[in-house]
Amino acid sequence: QVQFVESGGSLVQPGGTLRLSCAASGVFISYYFMGWYRQTPGAQRELVATITRGGTTNYTESVKGRFFVSRDNGKNMVHLQMNNLKPGDTGVYYCNTIPQVRANYWGQGTQVTVSS
């Protein structure tokens, strides 16, 4: 059974940093592109960062130059380094394979709140 456990979210002041982690089980992430998503109340889940099997990364415009996604295939984990955080980064962050190997499944996510 595929599972993702996200962690590392917290309340942080604007300009702060966080490092999110995603531990996968039931799937070898080395075979997949991986994505980090953000969801805010009343909005659809938004893809903010992706990383290919070979390590090529891509980011939504609002986080470029501040967020950095990485993967550790040996530990079956993906990370999201978040720098210079802004209030607009607030949300629940999820990871998943691209495409989803387990349809309609999302982990519990990790809450990031950026506020003074």
Side-chain angles (χ1 to χ4, degrees):
Q1 186 86 318
V2 176
Q3 288 190 331
F4 301 110
V5 178
E6 298 91 349
S7 62
S10 181
L11 170 64
V12 63
Q13 291 187 342
T17 64
L18 284 174
R19 185 174 188 250
L20 306 185
S21 295
C22 167
S25 59
V27 60
F28 291 114
I29 67 165
S30 59
Y31 294 130
Y32 296 94
F33 286 32
M34 295 296 297
W36 278 99
Y37 299 77
R38 173 173 65 208
Q39 188 163 31
T40 54
Q44 286 193 339
R45 200 172 275 119
E46 172 192 19
L47 180 62
V48 298
T50 62
I51 185 166
T52 69
R53 287 175 292 177
T56 299
T57 58
N58 200 14
Y59 304 92
T60 193
E61 194 64 34
S62 64
V63 309
K64 281 183 180 177
R66 301 187 298 118
F67 288 14
F68 301 94
V69 57
S70 60
R71 62 192 304 155
D72 184 339
N73 291 335
K75 293 183 178 180
N76 223 30
M77 295 185 72
V78 183
H79 303 283
L80 185 66
Q81 178 68 39
M82 310 168 74
N83 301 326
N84 189 21
L85 281 158
K86 302 178 179 182
D89 298 322
T90 294
V92 181
Y93 285 73
Y94 303 86
C95 69
N96 215 319
T97 56
I98 299 173
Q100 286 186 260
V101 295
R102 182 180 169 187
N104 300 316
Y105 167 75
W106 297 89
Q108 87 287 349
T110 186
Q111 175 72 49
V112 172
T113 304
V114 185
S115 175
S116 54

